[in-house]
Amino acid sequence: MASKTWQEIARAAREHRDQSLAEVKPPLPEIRSEDLPLNVTAIPWKHLSSFEIELTETSPEKLVQSLASGKLTSTEVTNAFLRRAGIAQKLTNCITELLPSRALARAAYLDSYLSIHKTPVGPLHGLPISVKEHAGMQGLGQNAGFVSWWDRTAPEDAHSLQLLWNAGCVFYARTTQPQTLMHLETSNNFYGETVNPYNRSLTSGGSSGGEGALLGMRGSCLGIGSDIGGSIRSPAANNGVYGLRPTSGRLPLSGFAATMMGQEHVLPVMGPLSTTLEGCKLFMRTIIDQKPWLKEPSLVPVPWRTNDQARFGAKNGKKTLKVGVLWNDGVVKPHPPITRALKEVVEKLNTVPDIEIVDWKPYKHDLAWEIIASLYFADGAKEVKEAIAASGEPWRPLSHFIITENKYCKELTVPEVWNLTLQREKYRVEYAQLWNETAVDGDPDTVVDVILCPVGPGAAPPLDHARYWGYTAQWNLLDYPALVFPVSTVDQDKDVVERDYDPMNDQDRWNYELYALDKYVDAPVSLQLVGRRFDDEKVIEALEFIKETAQI
C-alpha cells in the first residue's frame, strides 16, 4: 500500500470496475457522458431489447413467481440485469464492480436445480440482488469508501448475504458508497460522485447512493443498503424507490465493514431498497424467517409477524388507522415540493373512512440532533481521520461537514459517553410518552399508529449540499422503523419559491436559500412512514393499506 499513491490505487479501482463491465455479453454500448441530458432514465430503452426491458422493469415479487415456476430462467433474468446495471453505471456512476462470471454460474446452477428437482431453492430463487460494497462478499474487496482500505477483502459473506443466498438469490452487482460512509450523498476518491438518474446535477443520496441510483435506473429491483442516519432512506427518496430502515436487532449486521465497529450507542442497521413495497416485505420476511438470531445472538428473536386478517379496516364503526402528520420538525422547514406532497397525501387520506389524521407536534428535534451528532464520533472521529490519512487521499466536502465542521464531534471520555447515553434514553422515554398521549381517553388502541413525515428538507439536493440529517437521524436516535415511498416529482408550476420567508435559524436559512426551482427539474418527491420500535411489520402494512385505499 505504501508504495502506491492514492491516485494510483483509485485508478486501479476504476480499471477493475471497467474490466468487470467489459465482461458483460453482448458488449455494453458506448455512452459519452458529455452528450447526456440531465434526466437519463429513458436511455436504457435505446440500448436494451424489449425482452430485457420487460424483465428489468418487472417487480421482484412477480419475478420470483415466474422464476419459481420455470416461466423465466435465472440466466436470462440475470443477463438482463447485468446489462441494465452496466448501462446504469455509465449514466450515474453507481457501480464498484459487476460480477458476471459469479452471477451467471449461480444462475446456471439454479436453473439446473429447478429442472432436476422441479422445485425452487427458496423464496428468492433466481432473483438478482444488488449489494452495497461494504457488505462483505467472500474474497472481494471491502474498502468502506477509504482508499487505504482498498486491499482489504472479506473472509466470508456477510451473514445477511448468506441468508439471502440460502433463499436462492443471485448477487450480480456491488454499488458505491461515500468516503466515511457518513454522507447523505455518495462521493469518494475511488470513483467520484454518484449522481441522480432523474437529474444528474443532483445527488443520488447516501450512503447507499449507489443502490439508490441503480434502482432508480431499474438496473436492480431489490438491493441491500445500510442506515445509521438516513443512509437507506435518503437514496430511496432521492431516486423514487422504496426503502426501509428496520428497527435495530431485526436483521443481521455481521460482516459489514466500517470504522468504529463495536460502538453501541448509535446502532447501524441493514435493510432493503426496492422498486416496490412488496419487495421490501419479501426481503424482510425471507431473512427473519430463517431465524438469524440463532447464529447472531445479539439479534432479537422476533419472528416476522403476519396477520391472517387485515390489520387495518373498519371495526365496530371505528377508524382503525391513525396517522400523525409531522409537517415540520421545528428546526428546518421543508421546501415547497415536500409540503405540497404532504398536503396531497393527507387530502387523499382524509377521503378514506377508515383512516384518521391528526397533527404530530415535533418534540425537541434539535436536542435529538445534538445527542446523536455527539454520539456518532465518540472517539472524535480518530479512526476515520486515520483511515483517510493513511493513503493521503483528500477529504471530501461532506466528510468535512460531518466531522470537522460538526461542533458536536469531539473525543469523549467514558463518563461523557455514559451521560449522553442516559440523555438518549431519557429522550426516548419522553418521545414514547408523547406517543402514548395520542390515545383517546387512555385507550391504547387509539394511539397514533404511524407518523407521516418528510424524508428530508427537500428533494434530492445539488451535489455536496446534503447537510441536514434531522428528518432521518431523528428516527435512528429513537430506533424507530421508517419506510420511504415515492409520491410525485417536483412540479414547476406548483412548487414556487416562498417569498419573504423568515427563517427560524441558520440551518433553516441555508436550506431556504438553497431552494431554486430550476435546480430540481424532474426530481422525485418522497415521504416516509414511521412506527414505534419493533413495529416494522405494522409500518409496511399501514403503507399497504394506504396505497390500497387512498390510491397513493
Side-chain angles (χ1 to χ4, degrees):
M1 178 66 68
S3 63
K4 292 185 178 180
T5 66
W6 76 263
Q7 294 95 332
E8 290 171 330
I9 297 168
R11 188 180 307 115
R14 293 191 296 272
E15 289 173 354
H16 173 75
R17 176 202 61 199
D18 293 346
Q19 182 179 357
S20 74
L21 267 67
E23 294 174 8
V24 175
K25 304 299 179 185
L28 296 169
E30 292 294 328
I31 296 176
R32 290 162 45 94
S33 59
E34 58 268 27
D35 296 334
L36 294 177
L38 284 179
N39 188 331
V40 295
T41 54
I43 289 179
W45 301 341
K46 300 177 182 179
H47 300 288
L48 297 173
S49 69
S50 58
F51 187 49
E52 289 171 329
I53 293 170
E54 178 185 358
L55 292 179
T56 52
E57 296 186 3
T58 299
S59 67
E61 62 269 23
K62 290 182 179 178
L63 281 175
V64 292
Q65 292 176 0
S66 296
L67 287 160
S69 68
K71 181 179 179 181
L72 294 175
T73 68
S74 181
T75 297
E76 60 194 1
V77 173
T78 299
N79 263 318
F81 275 99
L82 280 166
R83 285 180 50 72
R84 190 149 188 168
I87 293 172
Q89 158 57 28
K90 292 172 179 284
L91 299 174
T92 65
N93 194 29
C94 60
I95 296 292
T96 65
E97 63 181 323
L98 292 180
L99 307 170
S101 298
R102 286 187 178 213
L104 290 172
R106 168 68 165 172
Y109 164 78
L110 292 168
D111 290 338
S112 174
Y113 185 96
L114 184 65
S115 176
I116 294 170
H117 299 282
K118 311 302 180 186
T119 187
V121 165
L124 300 181
H125 181 97
L127 184 70
I129 290 181
S130 51
V131 183
K132 185 178 181 180
E133 193 266 1
H134 81 129
M137 299 185 75
Q138 185 175 21
L140 298 184
Q142 198 177 19
N143 59 66
F146 297 109
V147 174
S148 64
W149 287 19
W150 167 244
D151 57 355
R152 297 190 181 191
T153 57
E156 63 178 354
D157 288 349
H159 186 192
S160 54
L161 270 64
Q162 295 174 23
L163 297 172
L164 294 167
W165 183 271
N166 293 343
C169 80
V170 176
F171 299 123
Y172 70 105
R174 306 182 79 206
T175 55
T176 53
Q177 62 208 351
Q179 181 188 60
T180 78
L181 289 168
M182 293 293 286
H183 300 188
L184 290 185
E185 298 190 15
T186 296
S187 67
N188 60 51
N189 291 315
F190 288 113
Y191 311 105
E193 296 161 327
T194 300
V195 298
N196 192 303
Y198 289 89
N199 185 327
R200 297 178 75 253
S201 69
L202 306 177
T203 180
S204 65
S207 62
S208 310
E211 284 298 316
L214 184 61
L215 276 113
M217 287 296 304
R218 298 305 186 263
S220 174
C221 63
L222 185 60
I224 299 172
S226 60
D227 194 311
I228 197 172
S231 290
I232 288 172
R233 290 160 291 155
S234 158
N238 290 1
N239 296 281
V241 299
Y242 294 83
L244 175 66
R245 183 260 178 220
T247 306
S248 67
R250 295 303 305 273
L251 298 183
L253 197 65
S254 64
F256 281 62
T259 53
M260 300 176 292
M261 293 297 288
Q263 65 82 17
E264 294 184 303
H265 29 275
V266 184
L267 289 175
V269 298
M270 59 84 68
L273 294 92
S274 179
T275 52
T276 66
L277 175 59
E278 183 61 31
C280 292
K281 186 175 181 179
L282 177 65
F283 182 98
M284 294 291 292
R285 187 175 61 239
T286 296
I287 291 180
I288 293 175
D289 280 354
Q290 295 181 67
K291 300 180 179 180
W293 52 84
L294 296 178
K295 179 177 179 179
E296 200 167 320
S298 62
L299 300 178
V300 180
V302 177
W304 185 255
R305 296 160 292 186
T306 57
N307 295 290
D308 295 331
Q309 297 180 338
R311 186 190 295 269
F312 304 112
K315 294 178 182 178
N316 302 321
K318 296 181 180 179
K319 296 180 178 180
T320 60
L321 175 61
K322 189 172 182 178
V323 180
V325 180
L326 176 68
W327 299 94
N328 183 326
D329 71 355
V331 183
V332 171
K333 182 179 180 180
H335 286 165
I338 307 302
T339 300
R340 173 181 58 81
L342 270 171
K343 289 179 179 177
E344 291 177 352
V345 169
V346 168
E347 287 173 1
K348 291 182 179 180
L349 296 182
N350 276 326
T351 67
V352 180
D354 293 329
I355 295 178
E356 179 183 359
I357 300 295
V358 297
D359 285 339
W360 184 275
K361 184 179 179 180
Y363 179 75
K364 299 182 180 179
H365 285 218
D366 52 349
L367 174 62
W369 174 250
E370 180 180 338
I371 295 170
I372 197 170
S374 300
L375 288 170
Y376 274 141
F377 301 101
D379 67 342
K382 180 181 179 181
E383 283 195 23
V384 170
K385 293 173 183 177
E386 290 176 348
I388 295 174
S391 68
E393 65 172 304
W395 283 59
R396 305 296 298 195
L398 290 181
S399 299
H400 271 300
F401 163 71
I402 198 60
I403 295 175
T404 62
E405 299 173 30
N406 174 9
K407 65 181 180 180
Y408 302 113
C409 178
K410 59 182 179 179
E411 187 172 359
L412 304 174
T413 64
V414 171
E416 285 174 331
V417 172
W418 290 343
N419 178 59
L420 281 164
T421 303
L422 288 174
Q423 289 184 47
R424 182 198 69 188
E425 291 307 295
K426 181 175 183 290
Y427 185 77
R428 288 179 175 180
V429 169
E430 292 170 353
Y431 219 88
Q433 180 61 28
L434 181 72
W435 204 304
N436 295 335
E437 289 171 356
T438 65
V440 178
D441 297 327
D443 181 357
D445 290 335
T446 62
V447 297
V448 161
D449 292 295
V450 289
I451 300 171
L452 174 68
C453 62
V455 188
L463 298 170
D464 293 328
H465 283 74
R467 297 170 65 95
Y468 186 68
W469 297 30
Y471 284 101
T472 49
Q474 171 73 23
W475 314 118
N476 293 86
L477 182 70
L478 293 167
D479 198 15
Y480 289 171
L483 175 62
V484 167
F485 61 100
V487 175
S488 65
T489 57
V490 173
D491 189 307
Q492 300 295 301
D493 296 321
K494 297 178 181 178
D495 300 325
V496 296
V497 177
E498 182 179 357
R499 301 298 179 187
D500 302 321
Y501 173 64
D502 184 19
M504 296 179 283
N505 51 61
D506 289 342
Q507 290 182 92
D508 193 30
R509 179 176 292 105
W510 191 89
N511 185 66
Y512 169 70
E513 293 175 351
L514 180 63
Y515 185 66
L517 188 58
D518 58 353
K519 291 181 183 177
Y520 295 92
V521 176
D522 291 342
V525 176
S526 303
L527 298 174
Q528 64 181 332
L529 280 185
V530 178
R532 304 185 84 165
R533 288 191 75 192
F534 297 106
D535 267 356
D536 304 57
E537 297 91 337
K538 186 175 184 179
V539 170
I540 289 177
E541 290 175 6
L543 185 54
E544 287 176 334
F545 184 69
I546 286 170
K547 287 174 61 66
E548 179 183 351
T549 57
Q551 302 300 305
I552 293 171

